[in-house]
Amino acid sequence: MSKATVYFGIILLLAVVIYFSLGSNFHNSTTSDLNFGTFSMKIPRYWKKIEFDGIDSYIGGITNETDSLTFDYGWYSYNLSYENREKQLFATDTINGKIALITKPKEVGNGTLGIYIEEAYKKNRFNFLGKNILDEQIVFEIFKSIRFKDSDTTLNSKSFGFTDKITPYSGRSLFYTHCASCHHRNKNLFGPAFASINELDFKKWIIDTTNLGLTGMAKFGIRYHQKAFKKLLMDNDIEKLIEYSKVST
Ligand code: HEC
């Protein structure tokens, strides 16, 4: 092998290494943060923001020239209830601490791809929808990046669990939003496993404020639970959480 061949080989190798290391940097910079005031999201660089004038809500969207998604942020945003149940699938999951109803068509590219967040920020609701979109994965990544001013980025469902029923505020989503930082369904974490807690204890710990006695003095004991959750959870939310605690996996 001549010296020239060896040098050439080394240069080629360096070129390949540099190409790939730059390539991965490019990859990291392919999304940008879009700020809409009280909320923000991350979008791929080839998507852009669009804005319209809304009367009593904030309307806008994003587009990549082929596909577009529009949002409506305000008191009366559409909650997906008119979506065709025959043709759509639904999931209720947690995105950055907010319970989100997500829909996708049963057949890719033939229907609505959308998200609805009822308790978005203050009294505002949020929806964000597109039609007949082929690249669902990119849109789901955008959905997962949606954050409001008070969002908790540590609380997220692992994946969207689609079914053919609309189940807003399901036990699973309530659990992920409010309890999963300390409890697991089947394992003891910081708090005891949900599966091991009996029904009456759920009610007693969250909604019944009588008979507190001395049992409530522990740091994350009964008083903590009542203070943290009594106003957040309705009675039937407790029922849903109890139901969720009993479903076996
Ligand atoms: C900040 C952490 C934390 C969060 C969040 C939390 N818990 Fe707990 N929970 C605990 C701890 C710790 C215990 C055990 C406390 C003790 O025994 O004094 C506990 C105990 C309980 C118990 C009593 C169990 C028993 O068998 O006596 C119930 C019921 C309960 N949690 C329900 C919930 C529900 C429902 C949520 C969500 C709405 C929730 N917890 C959120 C930490 C937490």
Side-chain angles (χ1 to χ4, degrees):
M1 226 191 303
S2 75
K3 260 192 183 158
T5 325
V6 173
Y7 284 139
F8 180 71
I10 291 173
I11 287 167
L12 194 68
L13 193 70
L14 280 176
V16 169
V17 168
I18 289 168
Y19 176 81
F20 279 104
S21 54
L22 281 180
S24 61
N25 284 339
F26 285 149
H27 185 76
N28 287 340
S29 63
T30 50
T31 58
S32 53
D33 277 305
L34 260 196
N35 198 326
F36 292 95
T38 39
F39 62 93
S40 69
M41 62 181 80
K42 280 192 169 58
I43 58 166
R45 286 228 187 265
Y46 52 91
W47 286 71
K48 325 192 272 282
K49 185 170 176 175
I50 22 181
E51 277 178 275
F52 315 110
D53 285 325
I55 294 167
D56 46 20
S57 60
Y58 177 30
I59 302 173
I62 56 172
T63 181
N64 68 355
E65 308 294 336
T66 320
D67 293 322
S68 43
L69 292 153
T70 42
F71 67 73
D72 181 345
Y73 173 70
W75 282 23
Y76 309 104
S77 305
Y78 164 60
N79 63 6
L80 307 182
S81 57
Y82 297 113
E83 294 304 313
N84 187 332
R85 312 282 165 105
E86 306 288 301
K87 291 189 168 169
Q88 294 285 131
L89 293 172
F90 302 90
T92 316
D93 280 287
T94 305
I95 293 180
N96 296 319
K98 303 281 180 187
I99 295 179
L101 177 62
I102 298 136
T103 188
K104 71 170 186 180
K106 282 184 181 165
E107 185 194 322
V108 175
N110 186 15
T112 309
L113 203 53
I115 182 170
Y116 168 69
I117 299 177
E118 182 144 312
E119 291 173 10
Y121 182 66
K122 305 259 163 98
K123 283 196 172 151
N124 295 300
R125 299 165 175 197
F126 175 82
N127 76 36
F128 193 34
L129 309 174
K131 291 280 180 197
N132 307 337
I133 294 178
L134 289 172
D135 197 345
E136 295 186 339
Q137 228 36 57
I138 293 231
V139 173
F140 288 148
E141 290 309 313
I142 298 173
F143 287 173
K144 286 184 198 160
S145 74
I146 295 170
R147 272 191 285 163
F148 297 87
K149 278 195 165 158
D150 59 351
S151 285
D152 179 347
T153 54
T154 62
L155 291 178
N156 285 289
S157 305
K158 286 211 176 67
S159 60
F160 297 152
F162 285 101
T163 66
D164 48 17
K165 275 190 290 221
I166 290 192
T167 53
Y169 296 82
S170 65
R172 178 172 179 269
S173 60
L174 289 165
F175 171 76
Y176 280 107
T177 312
H178 300 298
C179 322
S181 50
C182 302
H183 291 271
H184 186 275
R185 187 161 61 185
N186 307 312
K187 283 183 271 184
N188 291 321
L189 281 186
F190 181 49
F194 263 27
S196 72
I197 301 176
N198 88 42
E199 199 162 312
L200 286 175
D201 280 335
F202 271 109
K203 297 191 179 166
K204 191 170 105 193
W205 275 58
I206 313 284
I207 50 182
D208 178 11
T209 45
T210 54
N211 301 323
L212 264 183
L214 284 173
T215 47
M217 302 314 283
K219 187 148 186 237
F220 288 107
I222 196 163
R223 279 178 202 276
Y224 157 79
H225 282 73
Q226 293 186 341
K227 253 181 115 177
F229 305 116
K230 197 176 185 295
K231 291 214 181 75
L232 278 175
L233 301 171
M234 308 287 114
D235 287 9
N236 66 341
D237 292 338
I238 308 291
E239 302 293 340
K240 289 179 190 167
L241 278 165
I242 292 171
E243 208 175 292
Y244 174 78
S245 76
K246 289 180 180 160
V247 180
S248 58
T249 37

